[in-house]
Amino acid sequence: MTRTVWLKADSEVGDWEARKRRITAGLEAGVDWVLVDEHDVERVRELGAVEVAAFAHGDVQVLEAEGEEPAPDATIVGKDGEGDGTVDLPADFSGSADLSALRANGGGDGGYVRIFDENYEAFAEAVAAEADYTIVVGEDWQIIPLENLIARVGEETHLIAGVQTAEDARTAYETLEIGADGVLLDTDDPDEIRRTVEVRDEAGRETLALQYAEVTAVEQTGSADRVCIDTANLMDHDEGMLVGSMSRGLFFVHAETAESPYVASRPFRVNAGAVHAYVRTPDGGTKYLSELQSGDEVQVVDSEGHTREAIVGRAKIEKRPMFRIQAELQREDGETDRVETLLQNAETIKVRTREGRKAVTDLEVGDEIALYYEDTARHFGEAVEESIIEK
């Protein structure tokens, strides 16, 4: 599931200068959507590239034509209507003006509902049946109505929960272990906006179960074309990437964050191995190191298995002397499996062992080395169920 952050920036926020400051902070932080009134759509687009949703007033079919306001990416009904309590809910939802407006718009775009009580919760469920996006803002209660809606609406709509802090967003993303699809953030604090975007990113990342395998061979080989992955992101001391000659067993290779008497640290770099090797990507797939180029995304992992994405700035290929590292681990079925990779013969390349970071030049038979094991074959980087022998 792809999580989203929507930023509330309509007239309730203040005048245009106040709204502009909030929107600018959101653009800088990386929000996905900005929710405004119709007359601000073009103003937002002039500030930067972002999806723009607009509250509808009157006819929800906002068409972009000469002399008219530009059309938003999504039209939201409910403000100054039944959704926010301005107009009383009808006893029978079949007579709802908001629902009629959604249907008139082809059942697309979205609805906005403030949850005052169980009747508005039921109304939000009815909106979800018609809308691509359903924005719900809890009043006295937040968690219980959100739990109920997550359980009832399923995947028929993109459910967005109103929040005011990053911690509120974390709770919304984690509710019922399924979570809301997105959050509508209502704050002027640039730091809170940035933290909410960080929570969004964390919610979409996987945590990998790293294992330790016993090193059974460390051999010098001849020279080969090796790849340094230089990213546009700085890595921490306990971070690196998963690389290997065999897709089922990828070794944890640390970023070059350590200082040495001879070489300055390069916390943006992982010296990843030979051109034939795989590196894991954020979508759970793999790429050959030789395929990497500027703008690609690779997966960064820390020693606990937490992951994030990094952008490749360049892939630097040079001929260097190499080590062949072989390791064995016990599979769940009790059988032993062998995995291996090639890494440059240099003190600056460090792998993860039970004892911590260790230079490949110091690695010995019997050491236990960290890797990610997945008993799955790969075809063009995608997991497939077929028998493939890698030697």
Side-chain angles (χ1 to χ4, degrees):
M1 178 192 300
T2 301
R3 312 285 185 174
T4 57
V5 173
W6 295 50
L7 185 64
K8 191 171 186 291
D10 62 331
S11 58
E12 294 180 357
V13 169
D15 62 18
W16 169 242
E17 287 305 315
R19 301 197 298 275
K20 180 180 177 182
R21 285 193 296 272
R22 180 182 287 203
I23 294 166
T24 301
L27 292 172
E28 291 175 350
V31 301
D32 303 285
W33 287 81
V34 174
L35 177 59
V36 296
D37 294 312
E38 290 172 351
H39 54 75
D40 280 343
V41 171
E42 184 60 24
R43 283 172 159 178
V44 176
R45 291 205 168 117
E46 289 173 355
L47 292 176
V50 69
E51 299 288 333
V52 184
F55 282 119
H57 299 281
D59 185 2
V60 301
Q61 298 191 57
V62 183
L63 303 177
E64 187 169 0
E66 186 176 355
E68 296 183 2
E69 292 289 343
D73 298 295
T75 302
I76 310 297
V77 303
K79 183 179 179 180
D80 299 329
E82 296 156 346
D84 68 357
T86 301
V87 177
D88 291 339
L89 287 179
D92 183 350
F93 291 161
S94 64
S96 163
D98 285 1
L99 292 176
S100 295
L102 280 169
R103 296 185 186 109
N105 204 35
D109 296 350
Y112 175 81
V113 183
R114 293 172 66 185
I115 308 296
F116 298 102
D117 55 32
E118 63 273 12
N119 292 325
Y120 281 88
E121 182 183 312
F123 184 64
E125 189 175 348
V127 168
E130 303 289 345
D132 293 332
Y133 306 100
T134 303
I135 302 171
V136 293
V137 180
E139 298 298 325
D140 296 332
W141 292 75
Q142 291 185 332
I143 304 303
I144 299 302
L146 182 59
E147 287 181 347
N148 293 340
L149 289 168
I150 289 172
R152 292 171 186 164
V153 304
E155 298 180 358
E156 62 196 50
T157 190
H158 194 87
L159 187 62
I160 302 153
V163 299
Q164 293 183 316
T165 68
E167 282 308 305
D168 289 345
R170 188 184 304 278
T171 300
Y173 288 139
E174 295 175 352
T175 298
L176 288 187
E177 298 184 4
I178 299 172
D181 301 291
V183 295
L184 174 65
L185 180 63
D186 187 3
T187 182
D188 287 320
D189 185 347
D191 290 335
E192 203 66 52
I193 296 171
R194 176 182 51 77
R195 285 191 290 266
T196 301
V197 170
E198 290 173 355
V199 168
R200 174 205 66 189
D201 292 342
E202 292 170 8
R205 293 168 180 155
E206 61 182 338
T207 299
L208 302 176
L210 300 179
Q211 301 182 47
Y212 285 89
E214 182 178 348
V215 175
T216 54
V218 181
E219 301 173 352
Q220 293 188 40
T221 69
S223 294
D225 293 328
R226 74 93 175 93
V227 181
C228 282
I229 305 175
D230 290 348
T231 70
N233 309 78
L234 295 176
M235 286 172 273
D236 293 331
H237 197 62
D238 67 339
E239 290 184 317
M241 293 180 195
L242 297 171
V243 297
S245 296
M246 299 173 176
S247 60
R248 67 182 182 274
L250 301 178
F251 292 78
F252 187 118
V253 180
H254 274 282
E256 294 190 8
T257 57
E259 296 282 353
S260 80
Y262 307 104
V263 180
S265 67
R266 297 179 178 88
F268 53 83
R269 171 176 292 180
V270 172
N271 191 320
V275 288
H276 74 285
Y278 298 102
V279 61
R280 202 167 195 269
T281 53
D283 60 358
T286 58
K287 276 192 172 183
Y288 292 117
L289 295 182
S290 61
E291 295 176 340
L292 292 180
Q293 57 187 353
S294 178
D296 286 346
E297 281 194 334
V298 288
Q299 187 176 68
V300 172
V301 62
D302 70 13
S303 57
E304 300 299 319
H306 302 119
T307 66
R308 62 185 178 96
E309 57 284 341
I311 299 172
V312 176
R314 67 169 167 257
K316 186 181 178 186
I317 303 175
E318 298 166 308
K319 194 173 292 294
R320 291 290 186 269
M322 308 293 284
F323 273 131
R324 184 180 75 89
I325 299 169
Q326 177 182 288
E328 292 183 352
L329 79 165
Q330 293 289 321
R331 298 193 317 223
E332 291 183 357
D333 61 6
E335 296 295 319
T336 300
D337 199 359
R338 173 188 58 82
V339 292
E340 62 181 58
T341 197
L342 296 180
L343 292 174
Q344 183 182 336
N345 181 349
E347 294 87 346
T348 53
I349 292 84
K350 294 180 169 59
V351 293
R352 189 79 186 179
T353 70
R354 289 276 191 189
E355 289 71 39
R357 298 164 62 100
K358 194 168 190 177
V360 293
T361 51
D362 297 328
L363 202 61
E364 298 177 340
V365 171
D367 284 342
E368 290 187 299
I369 190 170
L371 54 80
Y372 177 66
Y373 182 80
E374 186 178 33
D375 193 10
T376 304
R378 296 270 173 180
H379 181 68
F380 292 111
E382 299 292 330
V384 294
E385 292 185 9
E386 66 173 321
S387 176
I388 293 179
I389 298 174
E390 295 177 299
K391 295 184 178 181

